[in-house]
Amino acid sequence: MAGGDPSVEARLRAVIEAGIALTSELSLDHVLQKIVETAAELTGASYAALGVLDSSGQALERFLTSGIDEETHAAIGSLPRGRGILGLLIREAKPVRLPNLGADPRSVGFPPNHPPMTSFLGVPILLRRVAYGNLYLTEKRGGGEFSEEDEEVTLLLAAQAAVAIENARLYEAATRWLQQLESLNEIGNALVGEADLPRLLQLIAERLRELIGARLVTIMLPDPNGTLRIEGADGDQAAELRGILLGANRSKAAAVLARRQSERVDSLLDDPEVDQVTAR
């Protein structure tokens, strides 16, 4: 990218300005949408998209677009699954520039109602060799192919985008930790000052469900006759579950209590000690 070309200098200034704007934005959704729109503007792409990789790094978790209206989105249907050229970018995390996307043998075509797309540029969003996702640009305005300069500018933007995404995720993680600490502090204060046991157990169930994102949390206490009673519950069907007795010989919870060890089960329905109330 040689100096002296006003268009190149203007695009570099735009990249710097975009980077400043991205790093000042704390909402991840806003960051991602800003990245998509900036990438389209800087490269002259009619359509742009950003795919966010899930925790496995092998599939798309989210897919944001620019240039496609809501009606077209609805007509296309479900989001891409990360196959074809999109899958290639996920697997190899290297820039891909094509004059005709549909003519490439690695392409799997487009779903019904998808707008026509010919020229293509895809670049990975990387930071310290960790892939956060990919930027996809198609259908360069005015015809023709995306250039090397388009690719270089997009790579610069992608590098800044990776930092912005990481910053946003760190901020969201810190916010969640603060909420968790506040919940734990509330529970600690309740343990000291709350004399009503049912109210205390209910508070613990509610805050615990918030902390771990569970669909249902129950707190069970042993009865003198050997059964367990659900004393606190929060989540799905919580009101119906409070007060229910569980037989010690049929309850997963009772078995765990008897062993006095914590246990994590991937599927209660497949466990021989399944708690019938929890599993229903």
Side-chain angles (χ1 to χ4, degrees):
M1 299 176 65
D5 185 340
S7 64
V8 173
E9 292 176 0
R11 293 208 291 182
L12 285 175
R13 284 197 297 270
V15 170
I16 295 172
E17 291 172 1
I20 295 172
L22 291 174
T23 53
S24 64
E25 177 60 70
L26 297 178
S27 167
L28 182 55
D29 286 339
H30 291 166
V31 167
L32 299 181
Q33 192 60 46
K34 179 66 175 178
I35 291 168
V36 173
E37 294 170 358
T38 303
E41 180 181 351
L42 292 181
T43 61
S46 299
Y47 306 104
L50 187 149
V52 181
L53 296 174
D54 63 14
S55 57
S56 72
Q58 302 300 314
L60 296 177
E61 175 184 83
R62 302 163 75 174
F63 199 76
L64 293 91
T65 64
S66 175
I68 299 179
D69 57 32
E70 294 183 5
E71 184 178 350
T72 304
H73 263 300
I76 293 173
S78 60
L79 298 179
R81 299 179 181 177
R83 300 182 298 170
I85 299 298
L86 303 192
L88 175 69
L89 272 165
I90 292 173
R91 294 190 302 273
E92 298 187 359
K94 296 179 181 179
V96 175
R97 189 155 45 93
L98 302 172
N100 190 332
L101 177 60
D104 192 280
R106 297 166 296 185
S107 175
V108 294
F110 298 105
N113 305 309
H114 198 285
M117 295 181 177
T118 305
S119 53
F120 175 85
L121 171 62
V123 302
I125 298 173
L126 294 169
L127 181 64
R128 294 187 292 273
R129 298 184 180 182
V130 175
Y132 286 93
N134 295 289
L135 272 170
Y136 313 100
L137 309 169
T138 62
E139 205 65 17
K140 189 173 178 69
R141 288 190 290 272
E145 305 175 24
F146 290 101
S147 65
E148 288 187 15
E149 290 180 352
D150 290 330
E151 182 178 321
E152 292 176 5
V153 167
T154 306
L155 283 169
L156 288 174
L157 179 60
Q160 293 178 331
V163 175
I165 292 172
E166 183 178 60
N167 287 344
R169 286 182 171 176
L170 289 173
Y171 174 80
E172 291 181 351
T175 301
R176 287 195 300 270
W177 274 109
L178 179 60
Q179 293 171 343
Q180 291 171 351
L181 288 174
E182 289 175 348
S183 293
L184 291 173
N185 184 58
E186 182 181 1
I187 292 174
N189 291 335
L191 288 172
V192 174
E194 180 60 71
D196 188 330
L197 182 59
R199 288 173 57 184
L200 176 60
L201 296 178
Q202 185 59 34
L203 173 64
I204 293 174
E206 292 171 1
R207 295 299 177 263
L208 180 58
R209 192 169 78 89
E210 293 174 1
L211 290 174
I212 64 176
R215 184 167 60 89
L216 173 67
V217 169
T218 60
I219 298 178
M220 308 174 194
L221 298 181
D223 275 347
N225 59 7
T227 60
L228 289 177
R229 179 187 296 273
I230 298 179
E231 298 288 355
D234 188 62
D236 291 359
Q237 299 180 312
E240 302 173 22
L241 294 174
R242 292 189 197 98
I244 285 182
L245 294 174
L246 303 177
N249 60 338
R250 298 184 301 130
S251 168
K252 178 67 177 181
V256 171
L257 179 62
R259 288 192 289 268
R260 299 183 182 275
Q261 292 182 343
S262 61
E263 187 171 345
R264 182 170 57 85
V265 178
D266 293 330
S267 175
L268 281 173
L269 295 176
D270 297 328
D271 192 281
E273 296 175 326
V274 61
D275 184 326
Q276 297 300 323
V277 173
T278 305
R280 73 178 187 175

